[in-house]
Amino acid sequence: MSEDEKFDAIIIGAGPAGSACAYTLAKDGKEVLVIEKGDTPGSKNLTGGRFYTYALEMLDADLLKEAALERKVTHEQLMMLSGDRGITIDYYDPSFNQKGHTPVSYTILRASFDEWLAGKAEEMGAVVVCGVKVDGLIEKDGMIVGVIAGEDEMYADVVIAADGVNSLIAQHAGLINDIESHTVGVGIKEVIELSGKTIEERFNLKPGEGAARMILGCTDGIHGGGFLYTNQESISLGCVLMPEEAAERKISVHEVLQNLKMHPAVYPLLEGGHTVEYGAHLVSEAGFRGIPKKLYRDGFIIIGDAAGLVINTGYSIRGIDLAIVSGIAAANAVIRANDTASVGPAYITELENLKLIPTMKATDGFFEILETPWLYDKLPNLGADICAYLYREDGELPGSIKKDILKLVKANGLSVFQLAKFGLKGVRSL
Amino acid sequence: MSKTIVCYKWVKDEADIKVNPDLSVDLSKAKGKISDYDKNAIEAAVQAARLLAGKSIGLTFGTPKTKQSLKDALSRGLEEVCWINTEAAAEADGIVTSKALAAAIKKMDDVSLVICAEGASDTYARQTAPRLGALLQWPVITSVSKIQINGDILSASRKLDDCIETVKVKLPAVIAVLPEICNAPIPGLKAVMAAGKKPIAEYQAGDIGIDFTSKSQVSGLKAYAMNRKNIILEGDTSEKIASLVAALKKEGVL
């Protein structure tokens, strides 16, 4: 292809969404150009992170064998912190990781995963250009026909924005407005290096096994939470907070993470480790209602985080898998559509077929549940109070458990009615 | 057609090099990059080739990993790259490196100018250009901050300790340039895309016909830690100044 000819598709961003899309298109023989702002794919990206394997199998089952992954998640954990107290629930289920079956999810470090996946797209024939920032879109007769990068213009039948949360390209195209502070969390994370053996001992893991932990009650009462993932030879520890609340209460996000690290129930897990990475990123928190009204224009579609495809249920967070699925959906749409105008509608159909939009819709109720303010301070404190009550013995005559627990509920500023209402709301909205 | 050759080195990115508490150096996580000063040298070669109405060619001597550098070098405006690919490069000293580069240069016709950076960003040994000049029996100009080309006469400004020296040579010649010779712009989209289609010549060790055994061997690598005196001077300002002077005298600094 000569330089002046146009590509079948230009993809902006070589994250999981962009690379999955490029891989699928290139495999079909399409001429694809991927433009990545970072010096290497993944160098500007951040995740908690965990990755659900079904998405990679959907892309190409062979890829899973050689993917740059860390540990298969065998231990699902939930931690509630209150003051210097902590409750940890550890769910172990061998059926998630049966021999001969693909493990459900792996822990992951984005810098290596993204670079690997972009490399796979390149092997398939996609042209991947790194270190180049796309400055704008070229519009002709109401259609997007190409991109502008510095002094260069490049043309394509379809431009696909995979430039992540707060997509500037989708803003250029007029599909989304500037970011609204209550729809995003700010996530910060440290990668703390420890030997694989130490990690396995501290988390009760066999070699290759990993733990994924969500942490409640570590955010000073701000809407948000912490996370901890065990990698091969490091621990990813971080938290996500609503920046608006943190700013109102003049709480620094860094301080929240620092306090989490020093918590007496967390510090022994990290002791002796070295922080090798510190990063921050925005996270879409709005779920289904955060998806832009329109995901396409003529000649233009948005995928992955740029399209708001993130699910936070409180007990797990998904984004990378949804990004890959949306990339596949976009590629299928480009491959199957007869003309540029039908790519957008075909993309929406594909998103429905691949169950992506229905999944987002089904988990929409979590948004309201997670808006409940007492989830982030009073509930973890009540949990700790109940444990303290149940486990403390002093040789005295036990009181009525029911009465005493009701007292604790009241002492925490909550009521049975409130808890029951919350439970009912939870059942209804899901 | 006249050829301008620029030699560049694929080095470890110093940002990824970790120093352990025992001062041993961990290179295992370090990615590679084209030595920073070589990026300026490459741009200088592209500009010089334009003045000589000829071609600019990149030349590198490295292990198989050096392959990653070729596209980056080409996206910086060079028309071709030539890569001497051998594991022996990992252990090569200044003599072996220059012999290998000289052997590759001798295989090319009409070479008017060879440009090196003054030193590489890892070792900064400043050996390649002078040794290349000796092997090719061409004049060498080092510490070059500016060049002008008129026909086959190159005049160079040499930045010395306390003066600028201007030197003229008849081409062909070898020059070692300082980073200030010119800016190294970040390649644009089309330049990066075009790089994928440019020719790459690859030589194996056997094609070069030299002895790759280094006379000097690296026996150890250790980080250097500054030992600080950690002396805090007490008292009012005049007392502090007096004790500072006394302390410096004691150290033999004054």
Side-chain angles (χ1 to χ4, degrees), chain A residues 76-82 85-90 203 212-218 225-226 228 237 260 263-269 380:
Chain A
E76 300 282 353
Q77 302 176 336
L78 179 68
M79 189 177 212
M80 284 204 273
L81 301 178
S82 177
R85 302 177 297 169
I87 307 170
T88 309
I89 300 166
D90 180 17
F203 287 86
R213 182 181 294 194
M214 295 285 119
I215 307 168
L216 209 54
C218 61
L228 183 156
L237 178 77
L260 173 60
H263 191 281
V266 175
Y267 182 73
L269 300 169

Side-chain angles (χ1 to χ4, degrees), chain B residues 24-204:
Chain B
S24 63
V25 181
D26 180 7
L27 299 171
S28 64
K29 296 212 171 66
K31 290 185 177 173
K33 63 168 183 183
I34 293 178
S35 168
D36 291 331
Y37 313 129
D38 290 349
K39 291 174 184 168
N40 304 86
I42 289 172
E43 176 65 18
V46 171
Q47 291 180 11
R50 229 173 268 149
L51 294 174
L52 289 162
K55 232 185 198 182
S56 56
I57 301 174
L59 173 61
T60 189
F61 168 55
T63 63
K65 279 189 185 153
T66 312
K67 186 167 190 186
Q68 297 168 58
S69 73
L70 306 178
K71 208 177 149 189
D72 186 7
L74 287 169
S75 71
R76 293 173 186 277
L78 299 172
E79 280 154 272
E80 280 176 35
V81 287
C82 172
W83 172 33
I84 308 161
N85 172 16
T86 164
E87 282 292 353
E91 306 284 317
D93 60 10
I95 302 172
V96 171
T97 302
S98 328
K99 277 185 183 167
L101 295 172
I105 293 168
K106 281 180 188 161
K107 286 175 184 283
M108 302 181 207
D109 313 316
D110 297 329
V111 177
S112 316
L113 180 61
V114 174
I115 301 182
C116 300
E118 181 73 15
S121 64
D122 54 355
T123 55
Y124 210 77
R126 309 169 79 183
Q127 296 208 14
T128 311
R131 285 186 186 280
L132 268 181
L135 290 164
L136 297 168
Q137 296 191 315
W138 291 354
V140 180
I141 313 173
T142 58
S143 304
V144 174
S145 60
K146 207 174 143 191
I147 55 169
Q148 279 179 320
I149 296 172
N150 242 326
D152 61 352
I153 301 295
L154 179 144
S155 69
S157 303
R158 300 186 67 217
K159 196 177 168 191
L160 303 178
D161 276 350
D162 51 0
C163 65
I164 304 279
E165 185 184 44
T166 304
V167 183
K168 277 187 187 173
V169 284
K170 193 166 180 283
L171 297 175
V174 180
I175 63 171
V177 298
L178 297 167
E180 64 216 64
I181 186 83
C182 57
N183 287 326
I186 296 166
L189 176 62
K190 284 194 172 164
V192 177
M193 289 173 61
K197 294 166 199 127
K198 289 179 179 174
I200 294 169
E202 183 182 333
Y203 294 124
Q204 303 292 327

